[in-house]
Amino acid sequence: MTAILEVEGLSKRFSVKVLRESFGRRRALSQVFAVDDVSFSLAAGETLGLVGESGSGKSTLVRLLARLIDPTEGAIRFAGAEIGRLPASRFGRTPERAQIQMVFQDPTDSLNPRFTAFAAIADPIRRLWRRGGAAIAARVREAAQLCGLAEDLLGRFPHQLSGGQKARVGIARAIAVEPRLLLLDEPTSALDVSVQVTVLQLLQDLKQRLGLSYLFISHDLNVVRLLCERVLVMYSGRIVESGPTAAVFDSPAHPYTAALISAIPSLEAGAARTRIVLDGEPMSPIDPDPDTCRFYGRCPKGVALCHEAMPKLVPQADGRAAACHFPVGPA
């Protein structure tokens, strides 16, 4: 399949000042490795899942892909065009800005409280398509209809809408400029369970009707298994495992993936899993040792080699990959 998004060697480091004890107490400039040497591709029409603990770098990666922040290193190619080298401040004026849209985690925080639902959906149309008047109104109504928003709700402000209605406004705003790729940053985590189902069904319907591609970020692994064809597992800024969703969930190759999946609750009789408890402290993302596996110190399989050599994420013939010297399942 043709890749709509290609990421190669993508890194983001933030400079911070830390207190050093050596040579007397002084502040020294260090770097936080939020995203470190990430590479993957997303096929046109595919839903790719991205999972990992809080602080693993998922949100920073999404901000890089949405071109809200600039990468430190690496390439981002969208539909074959390199967009990573263009400063984020200029990206908003390119045609690709309309093609890559984002649905945020909290629909309340992502909506301007002074904008009606109509104004929120109209704003990207006005800015990116530079249309006005009747053309904007027609497109707002069309996007709202696609997302199941009644027209009488368009005049309401966010505080007058339910959580599900605000989520639909956020999705309508994202699709209003006819994007090809949606970055979905835990789009249902702030919603009630009953509302989550309807919003996920809406996203599936829009994907089919509009031919969209999704990068779906979620802590809910059951949702990822249900919606995504492939999955990326992220830990401490790096991709540690990737592959077809069913294969990764049924037989995780990386010990960290195995621990995540062991925590998934199940209501099926006889389906209880043995919970893998990770001991130890996570490695600091500040100036980490480039030769040490980021999972070293928490990994139940960790040995001296893991401290001496960073494992590479090497693709296998079956489409899977695991950055581990001693994978616990087939890679």
Side-chain angles (χ1 to χ4, degrees):
M1 298 177 68
T2 303
I4 190 171
L5 179 69
E6 297 172 283
V7 176
E8 184 176 349
L10 190 64
S11 297
K12 180 62 180 179
R13 297 188 289 271
F14 296 98
S15 295
V16 295
K17 287 186 177 181
V18 298
L19 191 64
R20 300 292 191 191
E21 295 293 340
S22 58
F23 305 108
R25 294 172 64 86
R26 64 186 180 84
R27 293 194 177 275
L29 194 63
S30 295
Q31 291 187 317
V32 176
F33 285 61
V35 173
D36 188 19
D37 196 21
V38 167
S39 299
F40 67 91
S41 64
L42 171 61
E46 181 183 26
T47 300
L48 177 63
L50 178 63
V51 302
E53 294 172 300
S54 295
S56 61
K58 302 186 304 298
S59 293
T60 301
L61 177 58
V62 170
R63 291 171 66 199
L64 287 168
L65 300 178
R67 300 303 292 111
L68 300 177
I69 58 176
D70 293 323
T72 304
E73 295 173 353
I76 305 172
R77 290 186 290 273
F78 178 75
E82 169 59 58
I83 63 173
R85 295 192 184 97
L86 191 67
S89 58
R90 292 174 51 196
F91 182 74
R93 298 191 291 272
T94 68
E96 286 81 8
R97 171 71 284 165
Q99 298 295 296
I100 305 174
Q101 290 294 301
M102 189 166 175
V103 177
F104 296 90
Q105 180 174 351
D106 192 325
T108 299
D109 289 344
S110 69
L111 296 176
N112 189 325
R114 298 185 178 185
F115 279 20
T116 63
F118 182 96
I121 300 170
D123 190 51
I125 304 172
R126 183 179 297 107
R127 292 176 181 272
L128 299 176
W129 281 6
R130 302 191 183 281
R131 296 184 182 177
I136 288 182
R139 181 55 188 162
V140 168
R141 287 193 293 269
E142 183 180 3
Q145 185 178 28
L146 284 169
C147 293
L149 273 172
E151 191 166 348
D152 62 343
L153 296 177
L154 295 178
R156 298 187 184 182
F157 292 91
H159 72 276
Q160 299 172 314
L161 299 171
S162 68
Q165 290 167 344
K166 283 183 281 192
R168 290 173 186 270
V169 171
I171 296 170
R173 177 179 60 185
I175 68 167
V177 288
E178 298 181 355
R180 299 172 63 188
L181 171 63
L182 283 190
L183 306 173
L184 305 167
D185 189 4
E186 301 195 50
T188 61
S189 63
L191 305 175
D192 293 339
V193 174
S194 59
V195 180
Q196 289 182 18
V197 175
T198 60
V199 172
L200 291 173
Q201 289 175 338
L202 170 63
L203 290 170
Q204 283 288 77
D205 178 61
L206 290 173
K207 179 176 180 255
Q208 298 299 323
R209 295 179 65 176
L210 304 179
L212 296 168
S213 304
Y214 289 163
L215 179 63
F216 190 93
I217 300 90
S218 180
H219 280 100
D220 192 331
L221 299 186
N222 280 322
V223 171
V224 171
R225 184 165 194 168
L226 178 66
L227 296 183
C228 302
E229 290 94 343
R230 289 191 304 126
V231 63
L232 304 173
V233 183
M234 197 168 187
Y235 181 81
S236 192
R238 298 179 70 93
I239 302 298
V240 297
E241 184 164 1
S242 65
T245 304
V248 171
F249 275 65
D250 291 341
S251 183
H254 196 281
Y256 176 65
T257 309
L260 285 181
I261 292 173
S262 75
I264 301 175
S266 177
L267 299 178
E268 298 180 12
R273 300 179 180 87
T274 300
R275 178 71 184 270
I276 300 174
V277 179
L278 299 176
D279 297 320
E281 292 294 326
M283 183 183 298
S284 172
I286 300 176
D287 295 334
D289 186 343
D291 295 324
T292 299
C293 175
R294 297 290 171 79
F295 197 45
Y296 182 72
R298 298 183 76 194
C299 181
K301 298 281 186 178
V303 296
L305 176 62
C306 305
H307 181 64
E308 298 165 357
M310 174 74 75
K312 303 296 184 182
L313 188 71
V314 180
Q316 304 295 314
D318 61 358
R320 299 184 62 182
C324 182
H325 295 301
F326 308 102
V328 295

